[in-house]
C-alpha cells in the first residue's frame, strides 16, 4: 500500500508562488510515477502535472504550462510542484497521485492507483 502525504498549500495573493510537496512511502513503490491533480468547488478533478520516472518525462496541463514545474528527488519518493504566477483560477484542492503510468495515461486520473488527501491552495485576486 502506498501512502501519499501532501504539504505546502495555503492562502496567497495573485502573482505569488507556492511549492507543494508529496512524499510517497514504501520502497517497493519507488518506480510509481507521480502526478498532481486539482479540483475546484463544483468542478471535476483535472490534471495539472505529472512525472514519469522511467523516462524522466514531465507533462503539464496547458493552463499551467510555463508557470508550474514538477520535479522529484533522486530517491523517487518525493514530488514537488513549484507554482509561480498564481492566479485566482488556480484555487483548488491539489491532490498527489501515484501509479504505474504510460504516456497515454499520465494525464488522466484513471492512470493512478493511489491518492493523497489533498492540500488546499487559495489564491486571492
Amino acid at each position: 500500500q502506498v501512502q501519499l502525504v501532501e504539504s505546502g498549500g495555503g492562502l496567497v495573493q495573485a502573482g505569488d508562488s507556492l511549492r507543494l510537496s508529496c512524499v510517497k512511502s514504501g520502497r517497493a513503490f519507488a518506480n510509481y510515477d507521480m502526478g498532481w491533480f486539482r479540483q475546484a468547488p463544483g468542478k471535476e478533478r483535472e490534471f495539472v502535472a505529472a512525472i514519469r520516472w522511467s523516462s524522466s518525462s514531465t507533462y503539464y496541463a496547458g493552463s499551467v504550462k510555463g508557470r508550474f514545474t514538477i520535479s522529484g528527488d533522486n530517491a523517487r519518493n518525493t514530488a514537488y510542484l513549484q507554482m509561480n504566477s498564481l492566479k485566482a483560477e488556480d484555487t483548488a484542492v491539489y491532490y498527489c497521485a501515484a501509479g504505474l503510468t504510460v504516456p497515454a495515461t499520465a494525464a488522466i486520473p484513471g492512470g493512478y492507483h493511489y491518492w493523497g488527501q489533498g492540500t488546499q491552495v487559495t489564491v486571492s485576486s
Side-chain angles (χ1 to χ4, degrees):
Q1 183 82 11
V2 175
Q3 287 190 324
L4 302 171
V5 179
E6 304 106 330
S7 62
L11 171 63
V12 297
Q13 293 186 336
D16 286 351
S17 298
L18 273 178
R19 189 173 85 153
L20 305 183
S21 299
C22 176
V23 179
K24 176 181 56 170
S25 66
R27 291 180 61 185
F29 302 96
N31 288 329
Y32 272 48
D33 301 322
M34 298 177 75
W36 288 96
F37 291 76
R38 66 187 182 187
Q39 188 166 18
K43 295 187 177 182
E44 293 187 354
R45 191 168 297 190
E46 66 173 2
F47 170 73
V48 176
I51 184 166
R52 298 189 66 243
W53 304 116
S54 59
S55 59
S56 299
S57 299
T58 56
Y59 304 81
Y60 296 95
S63 59
V64 307
K65 200 167 187 178
R67 299 188 298 123
F68 291 10
T69 303
I70 189 170
S71 62
D73 66 348
N74 290 335
R76 303 180 176 184
N77 288 331
T78 304
Y80 305 98
L81 185 68
Q82 178 66 42
M83 305 185 294
N84 298 329
S85 302
L86 283 162
K87 304 176 182 179
E89 49 263 44
D90 294 319
T91 295
V93 177
Y94 283 70
Y95 296 92
C96 176
L100 294 173
T101 68
V102 295
T105 63
I108 61 174
Y112 296 85
H113 310 292
Y114 301 100
W115 293 83
Q117 293 299 308
T119 184
Q120 176 70 46
V121 172
T122 303
V123 184
S124 63
S125 57

mmCIF file of all heavy atoms in Angstrom, residues 64-101:
data_model
loop_
_atom_site.group_PDB
_atom_site.id
_atom_site.type_symbol
_atom_site.label_atom_id
_atom_site.label_comp_id
_atom_site.label_asym_id
_atom_site.label_seq_id
_atom_site.Cartn_x
_atom_site.Cartn_y
_atom_site.Cartn_z
ATOM 1 N N VAL A 64 -1.343 25.512 -17.035
ATOM 2 C CA VAL A 64 -0.270 25.771 -16.067
ATOM 3 C C VAL A 64 1.107 25.749 -16.702
ATOM 4 O O VAL A 64 2.095 26.101 -16.044
ATOM 5 C CB VAL A 64 -0.313 24.761 -14.899
ATOM 6 C CG1 VAL A 64 -1.692 24.728 -14.268
ATOM 7 C CG2 VAL A 64 0.123 23.378 -15.340
ATOM 8 N N LYS A 65 1.202 25.338 -17.949
ATOM 9 C CA LYS A 65 2.492 25.235 -18.601
ATOM 10 C C LYS A 65 3.179 26.588 -18.642
ATOM 11 O O LYS A 65 2.563 27.596 -18.984
ATOM 12 C CB LYS A 65 2.324 24.678 -20.020
ATOM 13 C CG LYS A 65 3.579 24.101 -20.608
ATOM 14 C CD LYS A 65 3.271 23.303 -21.864
ATOM 15 C CE LYS A 65 4.505 22.573 -22.356
ATOM 16 N NZ LYS A 65 4.217 21.755 -23.566
ATOM 17 N N GLY A 66 4.433 26.597 -18.240
ATOM 18 C CA GLY A 66 5.175 27.847 -18.176
ATOM 19 C C GLY A 66 5.112 28.523 -16.825
ATOM 20 O O GLY A 66 5.922 29.408 -16.533
ATOM 21 N N ARG A 67 4.157 28.119 -15.999
ATOM 22 C CA ARG A 67 4.035 28.687 -14.648
ATOM 23 C C ARG A 67 4.356 27.667 -13.570
ATOM 24 O O ARG A 67 4.893 28.018 -12.519
ATOM 25 C CB ARG A 67 2.613 29.225 -14.423
ATOM 26 C CG ARG A 67 2.214 30.332 -15.372
ATOM 27 C CD ARG A 67 0.865 30.951 -14.959
ATOM 28 N NE ARG A 67 -0.231 29.989 -14.994
ATOM 29 C CZ ARG A 67 -0.997 29.699 -13.945
ATOM 30 N NH1 ARG A 67 -0.784 30.280 -12.780
ATOM 31 N NH2 ARG A 67 -1.987 28.814 -14.068
ATOM 32 N N PHE A 68 3.999 26.420 -13.806
ATOM 33 C CA PHE A 68 4.208 25.358 -12.819
ATOM 34 C C PHE A 68 5.334 24.445 -13.287
ATOM 35 O O PHE A 68 5.498 24.208 -14.490
ATOM 36 C CB PHE A 68 2.955 24.521 -12.646
ATOM 37 C CG PHE A 68 1.803 25.222 -11.979
ATOM 38 C CD1 PHE A 68 1.803 26.581 -11.747
ATOM 39 C CD2 PHE A 68 0.687 24.486 -11.576
ATOM 40 C CE1 PHE A 68 0.737 27.211 -11.135
ATOM 41 C CE2 PHE A 68 -0.389 25.106 -10.959
ATOM 42 C CZ PHE A 68 -0.371 26.467 -10.748
ATOM 43 N N THR A 69 6.075 23.894 -12.331
ATOM 44 C CA THR A 69 7.131 22.943 -12.635
ATOM 45 C C THR A 69 7.050 21.770 -11.681
ATOM 46 O O THR A 69 7.017 21.960 -10.461
ATOM 47 C CB THR A 69 8.513 23.591 -12.511
ATOM 48 O OG1 THR A 69 8.594 24.723 -13.379
ATOM 49 C CG2 THR A 69 9.609 22.597 -12.893
ATOM 50 N N ILE A 70 7.021 20.562 -12.233
ATOM 51 C CA ILE A 70 7.036 19.362 -11.410
ATOM 52 C C ILE A 70 8.450 18.810 -11.397
ATOM 53 O O ILE A 70 9.155 18.824 -12.413
ATOM 54 C CB ILE A 70 6.028 18.305 -11.909
ATOM 55 C CG1 ILE A 70 5.918 17.156 -10.901
ATOM 56 C CG2 ILE A 70 6.380 17.801 -13.301
ATOM 57 C CD1 ILE A 70 4.777 16.189 -11.187
ATOM 58 N N SER A 71 8.871 18.345 -10.239
ATOM 59 C CA SER A 71 10.190 17.747 -10.114
ATOM 60 C C SER A 71 10.146 16.692 -9.029
ATOM 61 O O SER A 71 9.142 16.551 -8.321
ATOM 62 C CB SER A 71 11.247 18.811 -9.791
ATOM 63 O OG SER A 71 10.956 19.431 -8.548
ATOM 64 N N GLY A 72 11.221 15.934 -8.907
ATOM 65 C CA GLY A 72 11.269 14.897 -7.902
ATOM 66 C C GLY A 72 12.656 14.741 -7.337
ATOM 67 O O GLY A 72 13.629 15.260 -7.902
ATOM 68 N N ASP A 73 12.761 14.025 -6.239
ATOM 69 C CA ASP A 73 14.074 13.770 -5.663
ATOM 70 C C ASP A 73 14.675 12.505 -6.290
ATOM 71 O O ASP A 73 13.998 11.749 -6.973
ATOM 72 C CB ASP A 73 13.987 13.643 -4.146
ATOM 73 C CG ASP A 73 13.189 12.425 -3.693
ATOM 74 O OD1 ASP A 73 12.502 11.799 -4.536
ATOM 75 O OD2 ASP A 73 13.251 12.084 -2.506
ATOM 76 N N ASN A 74 15.964 12.297 -6.057
ATOM 77 C CA ASN A 74 16.654 11.170 -6.684
ATOM 78 C C ASN A 74 16.109 9.827 -6.221
ATOM 79 O O ASN A 74 16.187 8.832 -6.949
ATOM 80 C CB ASN A 74 18.161 11.244 -6.392
ATOM 81 C CG ASN A 74 18.819 12.391 -7.133
ATOM 82 O OD1 ASN A 74 18.336 12.840 -8.168
ATOM 83 N ND2 ASN A 74 19.932 12.879 -6.594
ATOM 84 N N ALA A 75 15.581 9.785 -5.020
ATOM 85 C CA ALA A 75 15.048 8.528 -4.491
ATOM 86 C C ALA A 75 13.668 8.212 -5.049
ATOM 87 O O ALA A 75 13.122 7.142 -4.774
ATOM 88 C CB ALA A 75 15.001 8.576 -2.964
ATOM 89 N N ARG A 76 13.116 9.137 -5.819
ATOM 90 C CA ARG A 76 11.783 8.964 -6.418
ATOM 91 C C ARG A 76 10.699 8.834 -5.369
ATOM 92 O O ARG A 76 9.634 8.263 -5.629
ATOM 93 C CB ARG A 76 11.738 7.761 -7.362
ATOM 94 C CG ARG A 76 12.754 7.804 -8.482
ATOM 95 C CD ARG A 76 12.638 6.590 -9.371
ATOM 96 N NE ARG A 76 13.541 6.656 -10.512
ATOM 97 C CZ ARG A 76 13.581 5.757 -11.480
ATOM 98 N NH1 ARG A 76 12.769 4.724 -11.455
ATOM 99 N NH2 ARG A 76 14.422 5.904 -12.486
ATOM 100 N N ASN A 77 10.944 9.375 -4.185
ATOM 101 C CA ASN A 77 9.956 9.292 -3.129
ATOM 102 C C ASN A 77 9.174 10.577 -2.919
ATOM 103 O O ASN A 77 8.171 10.576 -2.212
ATOM 104 C CB ASN A 77 10.629 8.910 -1.804
ATOM 105 C CG ASN A 77 11.074 7.467 -1.796
ATOM 106 O OD1 ASN A 77 10.490 6.621 -2.459
ATOM 107 N ND2 ASN A 77 12.125 7.178 -1.051
ATOM 108 N N THR A 78 9.679 11.649 -3.474
ATOM 109 C CA THR A 78 9.030 12.941 -3.266
ATOM 110 C C THR A 78 8.858 13.657 -4.601
ATOM 111 O O THR A 78 9.787 13.692 -5.410
ATOM 112 C CB THR A 78 9.853 13.824 -2.322
ATOM 113 O OG1 THR A 78 10.064 13.134 -1.086
ATOM 114 C CG2 THR A 78 9.132 15.131 -2.038
ATOM 115 N N ALA A 79 7.693 14.201 -4.790
ATOM 116 C CA ALA A 79 7.434 15.028 -5.967
ATOM 117 C C ALA A 79 7.087 16.426 -5.489
ATOM 118 O O ALA A 79 6.396 16.602 -4.480
ATOM 119 C CB ALA A 79 6.286 14.453 -6.789
ATOM 120 N N TYR A 80 7.585 17.389 -6.216
ATOM 121 C CA TYR A 80 7.334 18.788 -5.889
ATOM 122 C C TYR A 80 6.564 19.433 -7.035
ATOM 123 O O TYR A 80 6.738 19.086 -8.196
ATOM 124 C CB TYR A 80 8.642 19.545 -5.690
ATOM 125 C CG TYR A 80 9.552 18.935 -4.657
ATOM 126 C CD1 TYR A 80 10.612 18.110 -5.026
ATOM 127 C CD2 TYR A 80 9.349 19.183 -3.303
ATOM 128 C CE1 TYR A 80 11.445 17.543 -4.087
ATOM 129 C CE2 TYR A 80 10.192 18.618 -2.346
ATOM 130 C CZ TYR A 80 11.226 17.808 -2.745
ATOM 131 O OH TYR A 80 12.036 17.251 -1.799
ATOM 132 N N LEU A 81 5.752 20.402 -6.675
ATOM 133 C CA LEU A 81 5.070 21.206 -7.679
ATOM 134 C C LEU A 81 5.335 22.668 -7.346
ATOM 135 O O LEU A 81 4.764 23.199 -6.387
ATOM 136 C CB LEU A 81 3.571 20.927 -7.719
ATOM 137 C CG LEU A 81 2.807 21.651 -8.826
ATOM 138 C CD1 LEU A 81 3.217 21.096 -10.195
ATOM 139 C CD2 LEU A 81 1.298 21.498 -8.636
ATOM 140 N N GLN A 82 6.227 23.267 -8.090
ATOM 141 C CA GLN A 82 6.524 24.680 -7.922
ATOM 142 C C GLN A 82 5.513 25.471 -8.736
ATOM 143 O O GLN A 82 5.420 25.298 -9.956
ATOM 144 C CB GLN A 82 7.943 24.995 -8.392
ATOM 145 C CG GLN A 82 8.315 26.457 -8.307
ATOM 146 C CD GLN A 82 8.382 26.965 -6.887
ATOM 147 O OE1 GLN A 82 8.905 26.285 -6.000
ATOM 148 N NE2 GLN A 82 7.845 28.156 -6.642
ATOM 149 N N MET A 83 4.773 26.318 -8.067
ATOM 150 C CA MET A 83 3.712 27.082 -8.723
ATOM 151 C C MET A 83 4.045 28.563 -8.649
ATOM 152 O O MET A 83 4.115 29.128 -7.552
ATOM 153 C CB MET A 83 2.364 26.803 -8.050
ATOM 154 C CG MET A 83 2.021 25.317 -7.987
ATOM 155 S SD MET A 83 0.362 25.003 -7.335
ATOM 156 C CE MET A 83 0.551 25.582 -5.654
ATOM 157 N N ASN A 84 4.282 29.154 -9.794
ATOM 158 C CA ASN A 84 4.601 30.571 -9.876
ATOM 159 C C ASN A 84 3.486 31.339 -10.577
ATOM 160 O O ASN A 84 2.648 30.743 -11.266
ATOM 161 C CB ASN A 84 5.913 30.775 -10.648
ATOM 162 C CG ASN A 84 7.093 30.115 -9.970
ATOM 163 O OD1 ASN A 84 7.148 29.999 -8.744
ATOM 164 N ND2 ASN A 84 8.063 29.676 -10.771
ATOM 165 N N SER A 85 3.491 32.629 -10.407
ATOM 166 C CA SER A 85 2.495 33.498 -11.062
ATOM 167 C C SER A 85 1.085 32.960 -10.856
ATOM 168 O O SER A 85 0.307 32.824 -11.809
ATOM 169 C CB SER A 85 2.811 33.612 -12.557
ATOM 170 O OG SER A 85 4.102 34.126 -12.760
ATOM 171 N N LEU A 86 0.767 32.662 -9.631
ATOM 172 C CA LEU A 86 -0.530 32.064 -9.333
ATOM 173 C C LEU A 86 -1.670 33.004 -9.671
ATOM 174 O O LEU A 86 -1.555 34.238 -9.530
ATOM 175 C CB LEU A 86 -0.588 31.649 -7.870
ATOM 176 C CG LEU A 86 0.169 30.343 -7.566
ATOM 177 C CD1 LEU A 86 0.454 30.233 -6.074
ATOM 178 C CD2 LEU A 86 -0.618 29.152 -8.050
ATOM 179 N N LYS A 87 -2.759 32.407 -10.113
ATOM 180 C CA LYS A 87 -3.949 33.150 -10.488
ATOM 181 C C LYS A 87 -5.117 32.680 -9.628
ATOM 182 O O LYS A 87 -5.086 31.575 -9.069
ATOM 183 C CB LYS A 87 -4.281 32.895 -11.963
ATOM 184 C CG LYS A 87 -3.156 33.209 -12.928
ATOM 185 C CD LYS A 87 -3.544 32.823 -14.351
ATOM 186 C CE LYS A 87 -2.408 33.096 -15.333
ATOM 187 N NZ LYS A 87 -2.780 32.706 -16.715
ATOM 188 N N ALA A 88 -6.150 33.501 -9.561
ATOM 189 C CA ALA A 88 -7.330 33.129 -8.778
ATOM 190 C C ALA A 88 -7.907 31.800 -9.268
ATOM 191 O O ALA A 88 -8.389 30.997 -8.464
ATOM 192 C CB ALA A 88 -8.374 34.230 -8.849
ATOM 193 N N GLU A 89 -7.835 31.552 -10.557
ATOM 194 C CA GLU A 89 -8.398 30.315 -11.106
ATOM 195 C C GLU A 89 -7.576 29.074 -10.766
ATOM 196 O O GLU A 89 -7.989 27.952 -11.074
ATOM 197 C CB GLU A 89 -8.578 30.417 -12.624
ATOM 198 C CG GLU A 89 -7.362 30.913 -13.370
ATOM 199 C CD GLU A 89 -7.429 32.408 -13.654
ATOM 200 O OE1 GLU A 89 -7.817 33.185 -12.742
ATOM 201 O OE2 GLU A 89 -7.068 32.807 -14.779
ATOM 202 N N ASP A 90 -6.438 29.252 -10.124
ATOM 203 C CA ASP A 90 -5.666 28.113 -9.645
ATOM 204 C C ASP A 90 -6.175 27.617 -8.292
ATOM 205 O O ASP A 90 -5.709 26.595 -7.779
ATOM 206 C CB ASP A 90 -4.183 28.475 -9.503
ATOM 207 C CG ASP A 90 -3.526 28.769 -10.838
ATOM 208 O OD1 ASP A 90 -3.803 28.046 -11.817
ATOM 209 O OD2 ASP A 90 -2.733 29.737 -10.900
ATOM 210 N N THR A 91 -7.113 28.352 -7.715
ATOM 211 C CA THR A 91 -7.672 27.954 -6.426
ATOM 212 C C THR A 91 -8.355 26.601 -6.534
ATOM 213 O O THR A 91 -9.230 26.395 -7.385
ATOM 214 C CB THR A 91 -8.677 29.013 -5.940
ATOM 215 O OG1 THR A 91 -7.979 30.229 -5.691
ATOM 216 C CG2 THR A 91 -9.375 28.553 -4.676
ATOM 217 N N ALA A 92 -7.944 25.672 -5.686
ATOM 218 C CA ALA A 92 -8.484 24.314 -5.719
ATOM 219 C C ALA A 92 -7.838 23.495 -4.610
ATOM 220 O O ALA A 92 -6.873 23.947 -3.983
ATOM 221 C CB ALA A 92 -8.206 23.654 -7.071
ATOM 222 N N VAL A 93 -8.360 22.306 -4.417
ATOM 223 C CA VAL A 93 -7.663 21.310 -3.610
ATOM 224 C C VAL A 93 -6.743 20.548 -4.554
ATOM 225 O O VAL A 93 -7.185 20.054 -5.597
ATOM 226 C CB VAL A 93 -8.639 20.345 -2.925
ATOM 227 C CG1 VAL A 93 -7.859 19.272 -2.155
ATOM 228 C CG2 VAL A 93 -9.571 21.101 -1.987
ATOM 229 N N TYR A 94 -5.490 20.483 -4.203
ATOM 230 C CA TYR A 94 -4.494 19.820 -5.036
ATOM 231 C C TYR A 94 -4.213 18.431 -4.466
ATOM 232 O O TYR A 94 -3.915 18.296 -3.276
ATOM 233 C CB TYR A 94 -3.218 20.641 -5.096
ATOM 234 C CG TYR A 94 -3.348 21.818 -6.029
ATOM 235 C CD1 TYR A 94 -4.166 22.894 -5.704
ATOM 236 C CD2 TYR A 94 -2.673 21.849 -7.243
ATOM 237 C CE1 TYR A 94 -4.314 23.980 -6.567
ATOM 238 C CE2 TYR A 94 -2.804 22.925 -8.111
ATOM 239 C CZ TYR A 94 -3.633 23.981 -7.768
ATOM 240 O OH TYR A 94 -3.779 25.045 -8.627
ATOM 241 N N TYR A 95 -4.293 17.423 -5.334
ATOM 242 C CA TYR A 95 -4.099 16.043 -4.938
ATOM 243 C C TYR A 95 -2.857 15.472 -5.606
ATOM 244 O O TYR A 95 -2.632 15.673 -6.807
ATOM 245 C CB TYR A 95 -5.300 15.192 -5.341
ATOM 246 C CG TYR A 95 -6.583 15.558 -4.652
ATOM 247 C CD1 TYR A 95 -7.458 16.473 -5.215
ATOM 248 C CD2 TYR A 95 -6.921 14.981 -3.426
ATOM 249 C CE1 TYR A 95 -8.645 16.819 -4.588
ATOM 250 C CE2 TYR A 95 -8.103 15.314 -2.794
ATOM 251 C CZ TYR A 95 -8.958 16.230 -3.374
ATOM 252 O OH TYR A 95 -10.130 16.562 -2.748
ATOM 253 N N CYS A 96 -2.113 14.735 -4.836
ATOM 254 C CA CYS A 96 -0.987 13.985 -5.356
ATOM 255 C C CYS A 96 -1.469 12.568 -5.668
ATOM 256 O O CYS A 96 -2.316 12.031 -4.945
ATOM 257 C CB CYS A 96 0.122 13.956 -4.308
ATOM 258 S SG CYS A 96 1.557 12.970 -4.747
ATOM 259 N N ALA A 97 -0.923 11.989 -6.726
ATOM 260 C CA ALA A 97 -1.308 10.639 -7.118
ATOM 261 C C ALA A 97 -0.075 9.848 -7.520
ATOM 262 O O ALA A 97 0.920 10.419 -7.964
ATOM 263 C CB ALA A 97 -2.292 10.685 -8.277
ATOM 264 N N ALA A 98 -0.153 8.525 -7.367
ATOM 265 C CA ALA A 98 0.959 7.653 -7.738
ATOM 266 C C ALA A 98 0.424 6.435 -8.480
ATOM 267 O O ALA A 98 -0.646 5.922 -8.152
ATOM 268 C CB ALA A 98 1.741 7.209 -6.507
ATOM 269 N N GLY A 99 1.167 5.989 -9.481
ATOM 270 C CA GLY A 99 0.749 4.821 -10.231
ATOM 271 C C GLY A 99 1.758 4.471 -11.298
ATOM 272 O O GLY A 99 2.703 5.210 -11.550
ATOM 273 N N LEU A 100 1.557 3.312 -11.896
ATOM 274 C CA LEU A 100 2.416 2.876 -12.994
ATOM 275 C C LEU A 100 1.756 3.337 -14.289
ATOM 276 O O LEU A 100 0.804 2.730 -14.758
ATOM 277 C CB LEU A 100 2.569 1.352 -12.969
ATOM 278 C CG LEU A 100 3.324 0.802 -11.754
ATOM 279 C CD1 LEU A 100 3.271 -0.719 -11.739
ATOM 280 C CD2 LEU A 100 4.766 1.286 -11.764
ATOM 281 N N THR A 101 2.253 4.425 -14.822
ATOM 282 C CA THR A 101 1.596 5.020 -15.985
ATOM 283 C C THR A 101 2.380 4.747 -17.264
ATOM 284 O O THR A 101 3.542 4.353 -17.243
ATOM 285 C CB THR A 101 1.452 6.540 -15.825
ATOM 286 O OG1 THR A 101 2.747 7.149 -15.865
ATOM 287 C CG2 THR A 101 0.782 6.895 -14.499
#
